[in-house]
Amino acid sequence: SLIELDFFNFEMRSIEIISNDTNNIFNLNNLELIKFDELSLIGLEKNISSESNEISNEGFNSFIKLNKLCIKNFRIIQNRIQTTYFFSNLVNLKDLELCNIKNLESINSDTFNGLICLEKLILTNTGIIKLFENLFHNLLNLKWLKISEENLIDIESGTFNGLQNLKHLTLYDNKIKEIRNDTFKGIENLTEIVLFEFDDICQIGLKCFQYFKSLDNLSFCFKYSRLDENLNKLVNIENLKCLNVY
């Protein structure tokens, strides 16, 4: 079934749309006059592996006033989110959460174009395999980033370029094999970093935390055979207040 959502002159602050159908395509049209601040689209988890729970590729360009968007259990139809226009008009958005989203494997540096006010980004189980150089460079106001439960195996050098205002980073339950000395370059003003469930880690650069000048809290859990012998070198961070190693 095709679900078309047409709103005019609504004064609502928040909308949550929950899909209970087995074959939904969400087509978000005629939303130029939308006035709500928060939108949640939640599909049935069992449907995302089939041709259902899809969001048309026009994206959310009419949601200009939106400041919070949460999308769970959906597929993005047609092209993967590589286009520059999927989120491009969400100039007031501050909070974006994408959870259980299919066809996000190859997001690139243009994916987040236009999100000039974004402060919080959560990516959970979207199938992302690799974080590319300058992926977040448009998110100059981002303060909080969490990437978890992914098939993520690699973070390119320069991935975090442009995130000079980022304060919190969580990488949890990914499949990252290596943390290089320059992996975290670009987020020098970070105050808290959480690195959990790194079960596939094979190599850790002993200077990977060298860029952090304002870090207060460091928490990590690595299954790394040489961690104990190199721990003191690894966490030799000036001004660090709290260290949690699991």
Side-chain angles (χ1 to χ4, degrees):
S1 63
L2 176 64
I3 298 179
E4 294 195 5
L5 305 173
D6 300 332
F7 300 95
F8 293 94
N9 292 314
F10 272 84
E11 296 286 352
M12 293 174 290
R13 302 286 295 177
S14 176
I15 283 184
E16 182 175 278
I17 300 168
I18 302 177
S19 164
N20 291 312
D21 205 319
T22 57
N23 187 24
N24 290 333
I25 297 177
F26 280 72
N27 189 7
L28 307 173
N29 292 325
N30 301 325
L31 295 166
E32 289 81 0
L33 300 178
I34 204 71
K35 293 184 180 179
F36 57 81
D37 296 323
E38 300 181 7
L39 172 64
S40 296
L41 297 179
I42 303 174
L44 289 180
E45 186 171 0
K46 66 180 182 180
N47 291 337
I48 60 176
S49 60
S50 61
E51 296 297 323
S52 56
N53 280 13
E54 296 180 335
I55 299 176
S56 60
N57 202 46
E58 297 89 9
F60 299 87
N61 283 339
S62 298
F63 292 73
I64 296 176
K65 296 184 180 297
L66 203 63
N67 62 51
K68 183 175 182 179
L69 175 61
C70 173
I71 310 173
K72 295 184 179 182
N73 304 328
F74 277 91
R75 296 165 57 90
I76 308 300
I77 65 175
Q78 299 177 23
N79 298 323
R80 294 171 180 171
I81 300 187
Q82 299 177 354
T83 57
T84 61
Y85 56 82
F86 199 85
F87 298 119
S88 61
N89 281 358
L90 298 180
V91 294
N92 293 300
L93 196 71
K94 293 184 178 181
D95 191 327
L96 175 61
E97 179 177 359
L98 304 176
C99 178
N100 287 354
I101 307 296
K102 300 302 178 183
N103 293 349
L104 262 178
E105 294 94 337
S106 54
I107 60 174
N108 59 35
S109 59
D110 291 328
T111 298
F112 303 111
N113 267 354
L115 300 179
I116 57 177
C117 290
L118 196 69
E119 296 180 357
K120 184 175 183 179
L121 175 61
I122 300 176
L123 303 173
T124 304
N125 192 23
T126 64
I128 295 173
I129 298 174
K130 186 174 184 177
L131 300 183
F132 293 95
E133 182 181 7
N134 294 322
L135 178 59
F136 305 110
H137 78 284
N138 292 310
L139 305 181
L140 301 180
N141 289 303
L142 195 69
K143 296 179 174 64
W144 208 95
L145 175 62
K146 180 179 180 181
I147 304 173
S148 63
E149 299 176 38
E150 299 288 1
N151 292 316
L152 181 63
I153 60 174
D154 187 30
I155 301 176
E156 276 193 358
S157 300
T159 289
F160 302 109
N161 286 345
L163 296 183
Q164 63 266 21
N165 290 312
L166 193 70
K167 299 299 182 183
H168 178 99
L169 173 65
T170 293
L171 299 174
Y172 173 78
D173 193 14
N174 296 291
K175 301 183 184 300
I176 297 171
K177 298 184 181 299
E178 180 182 6
I179 297 178
R180 293 178 287 272
N181 283 331
D182 61 353
T183 293
F184 300 115
K185 185 178 181 180
I187 46 177
E188 291 83 358
N189 295 318
L190 207 68
T191 58
E192 182 175 19
I193 184 169
V194 178
L195 308 171
F196 273 14
E197 302 297 330
F198 277 57
D199 294 346
D200 298 296
I201 196 76
C202 299
Q203 185 67 38
I204 301 176
L206 296 181
K207 295 182 179 181
C208 64
F209 299 135
Q210 65 181 317
Y211 299 100
F212 300 144
K213 306 302 181 184
S214 305
L215 196 67
D216 293 330
N217 297 289
L218 169 62
S219 301
F220 62 81
C221 178
F222 297 147
K223 286 188 177 180
Y224 180 52
S225 59
R226 300 181 59 190
L227 180 61
D228 290 342
E229 62 183 276
N230 292 308
L231 184 60
N232 288 335
K233 295 179 181 178
L234 183 64
V235 297
N236 184 21
I237 306 171
E238 187 177 356
N239 300 321
L240 183 66
K241 297 179 181 177
C242 182
L243 173 64
N244 299 300
V245 181
Y246 301 92

